[in-house]
Amino acid sequence: MPLIDRLSALPLLYAVVDFDNSDAAWRRYDFVTARELFKDFNVSARLYRDAFEPMLLVGLFAPGEQCSAAATLGMLYFFILAHQPDFDVVWCRGTVGEKIFRPWVERIEKAGARVLPNRRVTDLIVDSNQVKGVVCGDEVFDADAVIFAVGITGMKKIVSTSPSLQSREEFRNLSNLGAIDVLATRLWFDRKIDIPRPSNACFGFDTSTGWTFFDLNALHDEYRDEPGTVIEADFYHANQFLGLSDEEILVIVQGYLATCIPAFRQAKIIDSSVIRLPQAVTHFAPGSYRYMLPAKTSFENVFMSGDWIVNRHGSWSQEKAYVTGLEAANLVVSYLGEGQPSEILAVEEDEVHIQVARSLNQTLRDLSKSILPNFWLP
Ligand SMILES: Cc1cc2nc3c(=O)[nH]c(=O)nc-3n(C[C@H](O)[C@H](O)[C@H](O)COP(=O)(O)OP(=O)(O)OC[C@H]3O[C@@H](n4cnc5c(N)ncnc54)[C@H](O)[C@@H]3O)c2cc1C
């Protein structure tokens, strides 16, 4: 990237400083699209096209004109801009289900709880302002407290079948939120292919889809000694692919991989899995913040968790889902007056120059607020 393009990102530093993840900052930036934000701060067309938009396509799963500027600044700051020496991402050495969820479920069961898969929550039994039971079709489970840990699409489905949730505005309003289609593929090739980096973010293959591919021989213990190559390729904002057959999808994926690493062209796919995930990931659309729920709801004993729940921790995606889960569990501990709250590690502190710039900016904001009337559109 030429220096002049990189330099064009400098004015954006003001937005990075100004967006401190507070409620006020979210409200200031959430109505603006990411594309407008970069345009307003005079980012060059090339820097936007070749750097920021690809980051959005894989970080917020959508092109810039469909992403909230607040979410953009939050995501970019957490994953990329804060603490420049370390890109804050780690990869699991196997599938998350196997490595994290299975042992976790075993621990829950050892502690005496039952995990009931294949049950879909459909409603809540409410008495005054407290939930007394959770309905799953024709079964009812007594409940002292409830934590929802479902994505936006799942939550919208639950609300649609639940008269008790529909009676609350905050839950009715969830129909203003949306989600994005994802396509997840895994391909087994008949030969070893030299892949320079284990994880790769790709863009520019079509206008609105970002994709990532991972060398699972390098990342997952179980594929380390495979004679062939095992690749995971995930496509975000993949709506245009979901209607294709598996065969059509595999031809496209192999073609894309071959564009990145030509040796894929000659290799043969000997096994594959294609998983279509319609409406699977959170869409941080402009204007969506006001409909996203905090951990505490208007019911005394119903709490929310997930990567779309509003909190002030600063993390994103899986880490945020985990943190909001702990926060919700801590709220239950405090509501019931029983159990040990979990310790939640804060994200690393801002670098000193950012701390100083943020405090200066806040002082100026407070000053201008005291002088100027609250008149203009934020
Ligand atoms: C292909 C792909 C790759 C990704 N890669 C990354 C990555 O590399 N790093 C990262 O940080 N994030 C990544 N993400 C995003 C990450 O998966 C999400 O941020 C995270 O899973 C959100 O967790 P959650 O608990 O909020 O929701 P989910 O993981 O969606 O869990 C919700 C659960 O609720 C269940 N459910 C839904 N409806 C009901 C109901 N009525 N009753 C009972 N249960 C119900 C669902 O079955 C599901 O198990 C990726 C997502 C996808 C799809």
Side-chain angles (χ1 to χ4, degrees):
M1 179 82 61
L3 183 63
I4 183 78
D5 290 283
R6 281 182 279 152
L7 282 177
S8 78
L10 270 183
L12 193 66
L13 197 61
Y14 172 72
V16 172
V17 167
D18 191 41
F19 183 82
D20 58 2
N21 203 36
S22 62
D23 179 64
W26 270 88
R27 287 177 193 278
R28 266 200 310 281
Y29 285 91
D30 190 54
F31 290 102
V32 181
T33 73
R35 196 179 192 289
E36 284 170 279
L37 173 85
F38 293 120
K39 188 172 182 294
D40 288 351
F41 282 91
N42 294 320
V43 164
S44 80
R46 179 164 178 184
L47 182 64
Y48 177 72
R49 197 184 53 235
D50 291 358
F52 286 121
E53 186 155 75
M55 290 177 201
L56 289 175
L57 285 169
V58 296
L60 292 184
F61 317 117
E65 67 278 11
Q66 296 182 28
C67 296
S68 136
T72 298
L73 288 166
M75 183 278 295
L76 288 180
Y77 190 66
F78 176 64
F79 281 128
I80 298 159
L81 301 175
H83 316 292
Q84 306 262 324
D86 50 280
F87 179 48
D88 191 8
V89 171
V90 290
W91 304 112
C92 190
R93 300 185 67 95
T95 56
V96 172
E98 293 289 317
K99 293 279 177 188
I100 296 176
F101 281 89
R102 188 183 293 167
W104 183 58
V105 166
E106 282 165 8
R107 274 180 62 182
I108 291 173
E109 286 175 341
K110 250 196 206 136
R114 281 187 307 149
V115 176
L116 302 172
N118 308 321
R119 305 282 213 293
R120 296 254 146 208
V121 173
T122 49
D123 200 1
L124 301 176
I125 308 281
V126 182
D127 184 5
S128 30
N129 202 28
Q130 280 179 344
V131 169
K132 300 284 185 196
V134 173
V135 184
C136 294
D138 48 14
E139 285 177 286
V140 178
F141 299 91
D142 292 343
D144 296 316
V146 173
I147 297 175
F148 280 113
V150 290
I152 285 173
T153 304
M155 198 63 218
K156 278 162 67 174
K157 269 193 200 135
I158 296 174
V159 174
S160 73
T161 58
S162 165
S164 52
L165 289 175
Q166 274 168 32
S167 68
R168 308 269 165 146
E169 191 182 15
E170 74 209 280
F171 287 100
R172 279 200 305 274
N173 273 345
L174 295 183
S175 47
N176 292 309
L177 297 176
I180 292 171
D181 296 341
V182 176
L183 174 73
T185 64
R186 194 167 282 193
L187 290 83
W188 281 258
F189 287 93
D190 63 343
R191 64 196 75 180
K192 267 269 151 52
I193 293 168
D194 186 30
I195 303 171
R197 292 187 185 82
S199 83
N200 305 274
C202 311
F203 66 99
F205 290 69
D206 55 53
T207 46
S208 62
T209 304
W211 62 290
T212 48
F213 77 90
F214 303 103
D215 173 4
L216 295 192
N217 303 77
L219 291 174
H220 286 192
D221 294 340
E222 68 174 298
Y223 298 126
R224 197 177 27 215
D225 302 321
E226 285 270 318
T229 299
V230 188
I231 296 292
E232 166 95 21
D234 298 334
F235 295 77
Y236 309 103
H237 209 274
N239 31 325
Q240 71 276 29
F241 292 136
L242 295 199
L244 297 176
S245 69
D246 287 8
E247 292 68 33
E248 289 169 317
I249 288 172
L250 291 176
V251 171
I252 294 175
V253 179
Q254 185 167 7
Y256 281 15
L257 287 168
T259 305
C260 302
I261 298 172
F264 275 108
R265 211 174 303 281
Q266 281 77 44
K268 254 185 84 176
I269 298 174
I270 51 170
D271 200 0
S272 62
S273 111
V274 174
I275 301 174
R276 294 168 186 77
L277 300 156
Q279 302 286 295
V281 288
T282 305
H283 184 190
F284 291 93
S288 57
Y289 175 73
R290 61 193 151 158
Y291 303 117
M292 292 187 171
L293 295 177
K296 279 187 176 179
T297 68
S298 60
F299 294 105
E300 270 172 48
N301 59 346
V302 175
F303 305 96
M304 305 299 299
S305 70
D307 65 0
W308 57 284
I309 298 305
V310 174
N311 73 352
R312 305 266 83 92
H313 185 260
S315 47
W316 277 84
S317 294
Q318 286 176 345
E319 187 169 338
K320 184 169 177 199
Y322 175 61
V323 168
T324 54
L326 293 179
E327 286 172 345
N330 286 350
L331 287 168
V332 171
V333 166
S334 127
Y335 169 74
L336 296 176
E338 236 179 80
Q340 280 300 315
S342 297
E343 185 194 359
I344 298 172
L345 302 179
V347 295
E348 249 179 279
E349 275 196 353
D350 293 330
E351 287 162 354
V352 177
H353 60 283
I354 297 285
Q355 284 182 29
V356 172
R358 282 200 169 145
S359 128
L360 196 67
N361 183 51
Q362 193 53 50
T363 311
L364 288 174
R365 270 200 174 281
D366 293 343
L367 194 70
S368 70
K369 231 196 233 162
S370 63
I371 301 168
L372 296 169
N374 195 7
F375 173 74
W376 286 281
L377 208 55

